[in-house]
Amino acid sequence: MNNLTRESLPEAIRQIVHQQPITDMHTHLYPPEFGGLMLRGIDELLTYHYLVAEVMRWSDMSIEQFWMLNKQEQAEHIWQKLFLEHSPVSEACRGVLTSIQAMGMDMKSRDLNQYRQFCAALSAEEHINLLLQRSNVEHVVMTNDVFSTEERNVWLSGKSIDSRFHAVLRLDPLLNDYSRTKSLLQGWGYQVEEEWSEISQAEVRRFLLDWIDRMNPLYVAVSLPSTFVFPDDSDRSRLIADCLLPVCRERDLPFALMIGVKNKVHPALGDAGYYVGKAETGALEHLLMRYPYNKFFVTMLSRENQHELTVLARKFRNLMVFGCWWFLNNPVLIGEMTRMRLELLGTSVIPQHSDARVFDQLLYKWSHSKQIISDVLIEKYSDIADTGWQLEREEIERDVADLLHNNFWNFLSKKLR
Ligand code: RAT
Ligand code: ZN
């Protein structure tokens, strides 16, 4: 055993966190096999929807005019407004700078064309390999929307997929818009009826099982509005109770619930137009209590829900809390949430996921979060060292591996009975 002194602790923790390979359990990244769905490079970084929302606060053009620009022009507009005319202090802006810096580009030049040339000189495979290696991300968990024609066609083509990438069956259109999705299912040969009948149930289950067999997902996921209730007299509740939960249990797949979105309060902004709402945790309590043999990954979007969610995880071992999602992925909130989770749950959480959409974002999303996770760990280990508890390097390495890697994989294989 390798004892750590109070003095050597900060440096040792930073090193351990830095060296720990990551399983990124929720991203929107795709390997090159998915063609145009794979995003990389400076123009994609700058047109990230988090920055589209920010640029409209300064922009003198309307959002409609902005969407008429091509990608490079949009990127230039964002660079001009958010980086040159104002200092890029927001988290999403800072992220672009961290990513540029981490790729070894010249920070002084502020020249987009130079950054473009750097990316263009790399093949997609070279670029991805470099980014995965520099961010120390070992496993990338995707978000796979089988209701998108582009994505569905890749799966139907039967292409084999880079083994560092793992599928997730994402079901928002099924659970949030069943009246429209029904006709898609019918068109694909599933005999769902207008009524919620035994036949409809069996056919939705058949659809789910077919896609599980095809994609081999690590879990099934949905993003839910802040108004989510369960059970109730809705298509969504019927689908969850009669199809999702039985299928997940049969295949031993966790069901990931991402709760708290307010649908497009400003639709013209596209992906940037969503908002956040505080949810009731009653639905979750019911699911955890009533379905003890199903496993649930849960993240919530509202800061106000974080305490309830963390306390709930103290009651149910079939709940794994994960990530600081979307509007919570800011240093001040990551720090607060990570500290609270460690204080209430010890290391039995998954503190972060990247939600990256553009490969280069892995560099900043993880380096920024690792810095905060390290700070919180230094504080927590120092507190226990103050009691006289001996800190062993190997034990801290074990804990950090749990947080950034093993808790995810162990939860997948966890047997609940
Ligand atoms: O954070 C985001 O990129 C959001 O737009 C959403 O994609 C969210 O993460 C989700 O998975 O629904
Ligand atoms: Zn996401």
Side-chain angles (χ1 to χ4, degrees):
M1 282 288 191
N2 199 341
N3 292 347
L4 289 174
T5 61
R6 193 79 159 61
E7 293 64 42
S8 63
L9 188 66
E11 187 43 37
I13 290 185
R14 288 195 197 290
Q15 208 181 63
I16 292 168
V17 171
H18 178 72
Q19 287 169 354
Q20 173 58 49
I22 294 165
T23 291
D24 194 344
M25 72 158 284
H26 172 63
T27 77
H28 298 266
L29 298 174
Y30 297 89
E33 297 83 82
F34 286 76
L37 291 169
M38 195 215 94
L39 304 181
R40 66 182 180 112
I42 187 71
D43 290 317
E44 298 295 351
L45 266 180
L46 283 169
T47 52
Y48 187 31
H49 68 83
Y50 291 23
L51 289 170
V52 171
E54 289 175 32
V55 78
M56 290 320 294
R57 300 191 53 74
W58 290 116
S59 182
D60 31 23
M61 67 173 84
S62 68
I63 185 68
E64 289 76 16
Q65 287 170 312
F66 176 82
W67 291 130
M68 297 204 346
L69 303 176
N70 66 34
K71 176 137 314 187
Q72 283 207 2
E73 291 166 341
Q74 289 176 2
E76 270 148 25
H77 185 64
I78 290 178
W79 184 247
Q80 181 63 31
K81 293 287 167 198
L82 295 183
F83 291 76
L84 302 182
E85 290 181 17
H86 307 277
S87 291
V89 296
S90 76
E91 175 63 6
C93 285
R94 174 188 166 219
V96 175
L97 300 183
T98 304
S99 303
I100 294 176
Q101 182 200 33
M103 290 302 278
M105 291 186 250
D106 175 12
M107 293 306 290
K108 293 207 183 74
S109 83
R110 298 190 176 187
D111 176 4
L112 282 192
N113 284 327
Q114 200 192 331
Y115 302 148
R116 283 183 181 128
Q117 280 156 18
F118 176 90
C119 303
L122 298 167
S123 71
E125 286 75 11
E126 282 166 346
H127 201 175
I128 289 181
N129 288 342
L130 195 64
L131 292 164
L132 289 177
Q133 181 232 319
R134 294 226 173 138
S135 56
N136 207 3
V137 171
E138 188 173 81
H139 296 279
V140 178
V141 183
M142 302 180 280
T143 297
N144 301 106
D145 178 5
V146 294
F147 298 94
S148 124
T149 312
E150 198 177 356
E151 171 143 16
R152 184 181 146 81
N153 287 341
V154 178
W155 290 105
L156 292 176
S157 75
K159 273 187 197 159
S160 64
I161 288 165
D162 185 325
S163 61
R164 295 168 294 184
F165 291 77
H166 307 273
V168 162
L169 178 55
R170 176 83 174 236
L171 295 170
D172 293 17
L174 181 71
L175 294 181
N176 295 334
D177 198 5
Y178 181 63
S179 54
R180 272 211 278 162
T181 307
K182 209 187 305 186
S183 50
L184 275 181
L185 294 179
Q186 287 161 346
W188 294 335
Y190 298 94
Q191 317 296 325
V192 287
E193 302 184 319
E194 281 316 305
E195 298 301 306
W196 190 242
S197 61
E198 299 259 313
I199 295 180
S200 300
Q201 291 177 32
E203 286 297 277
V204 172
R205 285 197 294 264
R206 185 165 72 85
F207 164 77
L208 294 172
L209 289 168
D210 283 351
W211 278 95
I212 288 170
D213 288 340
R214 184 171 290 122
M215 284 176 29
N216 191 21
L218 296 182
Y219 60 87
V220 176
V222 66
S223 140
L224 293 162
S226 52
T227 51
F228 172 56
V229 279
F230 179 87
D232 68 351
D233 181 21
S234 67
D235 287 331
R236 184 197 284 127
S237 280
R238 285 184 278 276
L239 283 156
I240 291 177
D242 299 335
C243 306
L244 249 295
L245 292 169
V247 164
C248 283
R249 185 168 170 199
E250 179 187 326
R251 293 300 177 94
D252 199 20
L253 292 173
F255 182 24
L257 302 149
M258 307 174 72
I259 308 169
V261 182
K262 263 201 185 163
N263 259 354
K264 302 209 173 175
V265 291
H266 188 165
L269 284 174
D271 282 345
Y274 292 88
Y275 186 45
V276 50
K278 184 180 185 301
E280 287 299 325
T281 52
L284 204 49
E285 287 167 43
H286 183 92
L287 282 166
L288 293 161
M289 181 79 166
R290 167 77 181 74
Y291 300 93
Y293 302 120
N294 277 91
K295 293 184 267 192
F296 300 90
F297 282 124
V298 179
T299 198
M300 296 184 84
L301 194 52
S302 157
R303 179 192 194 181
E304 287 67 31
N305 279 128
Q306 300 311 318
H307 185 240
E308 289 156 294
L309 177 63
T310 311
V311 174
L312 201 55
R314 295 174 63 87
K315 317 295 156 196
F316 295 100
R317 69 195 178 122
N318 55 338
L319 165 60
M320 179 59 82
V321 173
F322 76 96
C324 304
W325 181 29
W326 202 345
F327 311 117
L328 295 169
N329 199 353
N330 303 312
V332 62
L333 299 171
I334 301 169
E336 170 182 292
M337 286 166 64
T338 306
R339 193 168 280 108
M340 178 176 67
R341 287 166 171 180
L342 289 183
E343 288 171 8
L344 280 162
L345 299 172
T347 57
S348 67
V349 294
I350 297 171
Q352 192 54 305
H353 64 268
S354 77
D355 235 314
R357 285 174 182 263
V358 183
F359 264 97
D360 316 50
Q361 291 169 340
L362 289 175
L363 297 168
Y364 92 80
K365 300 248 187 188
W366 280 109
S367 72
H368 292 186
S369 287
K370 277 183 160 186
Q371 195 182 336
I372 301 164
I373 292 168
S374 302
D375 289 342
V376 176
L377 288 175
I378 291 167
E379 184 186 308
K380 295 298 155 204
Y381 285 113
S382 300
D383 288 347
I384 59 173
D386 286 345
T387 69
W389 183 259
Q390 182 63 56
L391 298 174
E392 312 288 356
R393 187 179 176 102
E394 291 77 3
E395 290 179 344
I396 297 180
E397 283 170 353
R398 172 205 59 200
D399 296 345
V400 171
D402 283 347
L403 289 169
L404 298 178
H405 190 272
N406 291 329
N407 285 348
F408 175 71
W409 296 101
N410 290 341
F411 192 69
L412 294 184
S413 56
K414 185 171 186 158
K415 295 279 166 260
L416 291 168
R417 51 163 184 168

